[in-house]
Amino acid sequence: MKQRSVLVVLFDGIQSLDVTGPMEVFAGASRFPEVSYELRTASLDGAPVRSSCGLTLVPDATLADAGTPHTLLVPGGQGTRDPDRALVDWLRVHGPRPERLVSVCTGALLLAAAGQLDGHRVTTHWDVCDHLARTYPAVEVEPEPIFVRDGRLATSAGVTAGIDLALALVEEDHGREVALTVARHLVVFLRRPGNQSQFSAQLTAQTARREPLREVQHWITEHPGADLSVESLAARARLSPRHFARAFQTETGMTPGRYVDRVRLEQARRLLEDTTDGVAGISRACGYGTPEAMRRAFVRALGAAPAEYRRRFSSHPAGEAPDITEYLTH
């Protein structure tokens, strides 16, 4: 059994969920007999750190004494906005040494300040993507995905995306069934693909100010299989198609067509994940019309056909996952 060590860097102003979320994933995986992650935390001087919510975290060691882990994980939090220069210097020296270098949320700012992201594709919390791109032009920032893998480097968006990334790393190390079982027991229950958007369509789009447009948004979400052409939606809003399209984009920040595409994709994903319905039926229910049209939309947006997406992310996989209840409850 190969043991992989995971070292989590601690500092004042850290986001506690960026620490505990991934650690719970690795700890849950370690309850399988054939899986072992050695989890350690360390701060610069070994002293306790205070998280952004006021929770105090006590590290296992100083960074100087922690050694070189297999996976070095750097969480985010308010403490990344004005970081300790000694911490940045430590990351500059030690960042290249582990087999995997991982950041959660704004931990990417620390890695960027230490020069560890130059020339790489990365993501971070949506609120700081522009800042990261402007401040570090040598870094290729991708604001949409919930996590990005680029060689040994893995970066994720905020909080729960760190759990998604940790599950993906467990799958990489020990296979799909281990990762899926851990996700179920954590009641995260599904693993999202890394190139899924940080926001749902409803969150990505602004809520329209005017009631007719707001009602149309809700109607689209509730009726993805209906006729959602601009002409049909404009009639529902009692506006001309041209006026409707212009007003919708002005008030929501995206065209009606793009909003419809995102809603249909989300609904199709949910049905593939949560049901055993056939692809043909799902394609009709979500407004794609044909399985081929849905396949093209999935490949374009997610890089995987519906059948492959279901195989990787369904909560109803073919066959049963290993039962580790006895390990999780003792």
Side-chain angles (χ1 to χ4, degrees), residues 171 176 191 265 268-269 271-283 288 290-300 302-318:
E171 180 177 358
R176 174 183 181 276
R191 288 165 297 126
L265 185 70
R269 278 185 33 249
L271 292 175
L272 287 170
E273 293 167 353
D274 299 346
T275 75
T276 57
D277 295 351
V279 171
I282 291 174
S283 67
Y288 289 109
T290 67
E292 175 58 23
M294 189 168 99
R295 188 194 70 81
R296 290 196 300 268
F298 266 67
V299 171
R300 182 171 60 249
L302 300 174
E308 173 64 12
Y309 183 91
R310 168 171 270 170
R311 186 189 71 78
R312 291 179 59 83
F313 301 109
S314 175
S315 59
H316 301 277

Side-chain angles (χ1 to χ4, degrees), residues 96-279:
R97 298 178 181 177
E99 291 187 36
R100 281 196 304 229
L101 182 60
V102 178
S103 71
V104 179
C105 196
T106 56
L109 295 176
L110 292 176
L111 293 183
Q116 301 303 302
L117 305 186
D118 290 356
H120 290 285
R121 296 182 301 107
V122 307
T123 194
T124 186
H125 191 283
W126 62 268
D127 194 38
V128 299
C129 280
D130 287 345
H131 169 72
L132 179 61
R134 287 194 310 270
T135 308
Y136 304 99
V139 179
E140 184 181 343
V141 180
E142 298 188 6
E144 283 284 325
I146 59 173
F147 64 82
V148 171
R149 292 296 306 274
D150 187 2
R152 61 183 283 274
L153 181 67
T155 54
S156 69
V159 185
T160 57
I163 295 175
D164 292 301
L165 176 54
L167 287 165
L169 297 178
V170 168
E171 180 177 358
E172 176 184 298
D173 294 339
H174 299 288
R176 174 183 181 276
E177 297 303 333
V178 173
L180 185 56
T181 304
V182 172
R184 285 173 175 164
H185 281 275
L186 289 177
V187 202
V188 181
F189 121 88
L190 294 173
R191 288 165 297 126
R192 297 178 291 174
N195 54 358
Q196 181 177 320
S197 174
Q198 293 190 29
F199 296 112
S200 67
Q202 290 83 356
L203 289 176
T204 304
Q206 304 168 41
T207 301
R209 294 188 303 275
R210 283 184 277 180
E211 187 63 29
L213 297 179
R214 200 158 56 240
E215 288 180 358
V216 166
Q217 283 183 287
H218 295 318
W219 198 84
I220 292 170
T221 302
E222 294 170 359
H223 302 86
D227 176 7
L228 301 181
S229 64
V230 169
E231 291 75 17
S232 175
L233 297 175
R236 180 166 293 276
R238 295 184 176 85
L239 298 170
S240 71
R242 184 176 180 181
H243 185 192
F244 169 78
R246 185 169 57 246
F248 190 95
Q249 181 162 8
T250 297
E251 295 203 15
T252 68
M254 65 174 62
T255 66
R258 188 179 181 201
Y259 186 79
V260 167
D261 287 346
R262 292 199 172 195
V263 167
R264 283 176 167 163
L265 185 70
E266 285 177 17
Q267 179 64 10
R269 278 185 33 249
R270 290 192 192 99
L271 292 175
L272 287 170
E273 293 167 353
D274 299 346
T275 75
T276 57
D277 295 351
V279 171

